[in-house]
Amino acid sequence: VRFLNGRPVWFTQRDGLPGSRITALHADRHGTLWAAANGGLARYADGGFVWTPFDAVDGPKAIQAIADHPRGGLWLSATNGQRFRWHTGHVGVMREPSEITGKLTWALYTGKDGTVWEGFADGSLAMHHADGTHVYSTRDGLAPGSVNAITEDQNGTIWVGTNTGLSRFKNSQFASLLLRKILPGNMVVAIVEDRTGFLWLGMSSGI
């Protein structure tokens, strides 16, 4: 659904969506909106969605998360744990670092510096950068529970939402707040920063 002038506009498979169950939405660095559904991937253009076919038989069947790939195109994480890069109409399986083999991706975010942050169902968080991959966990101060949301604020601080709270990554260290101590809920499923710098948290109990 898209809100236009305060009114909702619904999009369905008749408008080009590749399925009835939407699994991921992503606005890329160029402002293009991408939607993943149980039938594939589509981009929004000229008032409707255009299905994006994959040229490979072994392309992703179900996409759980989408982010910009630091070398161009899209980083796609599938529900079976595989990772793909889509670029200029071609899709290929990405080489998987041994540190994240078998992990299921719940959240994906590309920072301003090109670092890709990948949150997993098992509660760990991977930082992919030019020098390799580093995996963080509760031992590093990350809030416990599956990683559901990742964003970067205007000051370059990374925020991570989990099943139990909110974590901040700044100066290479985590600081976490277990929200059940101060709020009626604790599961963070979405994080958005507004233009004034406030963080809005979508939670299991409300906003």
Side-chain angles (χ1 to χ4, degrees):
V1 62
R2 174 191 183 192
F3 284 91
L4 181 64
N5 298 324
R7 303 184 63 180
V9 179
W10 282 94
F11 294 91
T12 67
Q13 289 176 272
R14 290 178 295 182
D15 303 292
L17 286 174
S20 58
R21 185 171 64 89
I22 304 303
T23 55
L25 286 174
H26 175 64
D28 66 22
R29 59 173 63 91
H30 305 295
T32 300
L33 176 66
W34 297 84
N38 49 311
L41 181 69
R43 62 179 175 84
Y44 181 77
D46 300 323
F49 284 87
V50 180
W51 180 55
T52 302
F54 297 127
D55 61 344
V57 177
D58 58 349
K61 301 298 186 296
I63 299 167
Q64 180 68 32
I66 310 172
D68 287 340
H69 195 286
R71 296 198 306 273
L74 299 175
W75 180 310
L76 309 175
S77 289
T79 54
N80 65 357
Q82 284 187 301
R83 292 152 189 86
F84 299 82
R85 182 191 180 197
W86 181 90
H87 187 55
T88 61
H90 302 284
V91 65
V93 178
M94 294 171 55
R95 185 177 61 84
E96 189 174 82
S98 59
E99 297 94 330
I100 61 172
T101 299
K103 291 179 179 288
L104 296 181
T105 304
W106 252 217
L108 199 58
Y109 183 83
T110 302
K112 300 169 187 174
D113 63 354
T115 298
V116 178
W117 297 85
E118 191 171 12
F120 302 106
D122 67 0
S124 59
L125 175 72
M127 179 178 67
H128 305 282
H129 50 83
D131 296 328
T133 295
H134 185 84
V135 179
Y136 297 97
S137 68
T138 54
R139 294 189 300 270
D140 304 292
L142 186 65
S146 62
V147 176
N148 307 313
I150 308 167
T151 196
E152 181 179 13
D153 68 21
Q154 57 192 345
N155 296 317
T157 299
I158 297 294
W159 296 89
V160 181
T162 76
N163 276 7
T164 65
L166 181 68
S167 296
R168 181 190 69 188
F169 186 78
K170 185 177 182 180
N171 298 326
S172 300
Q173 291 185 328
F174 280 101
S176 296
L177 180 63
L178 300 183
L179 298 177
R180 66 175 177 271
K181 296 181 179 180
I182 57 174
L183 295 174
N186 57 5
M187 180 186 292
V188 179
V189 297
I191 310 171
V192 173
E193 182 188 26
D194 66 21
R195 67 183 65 182
T196 62
F198 284 97
L199 289 181
W200 293 75
L201 307 181
M203 302 181 62
S204 55
S205 56
I207 297 178

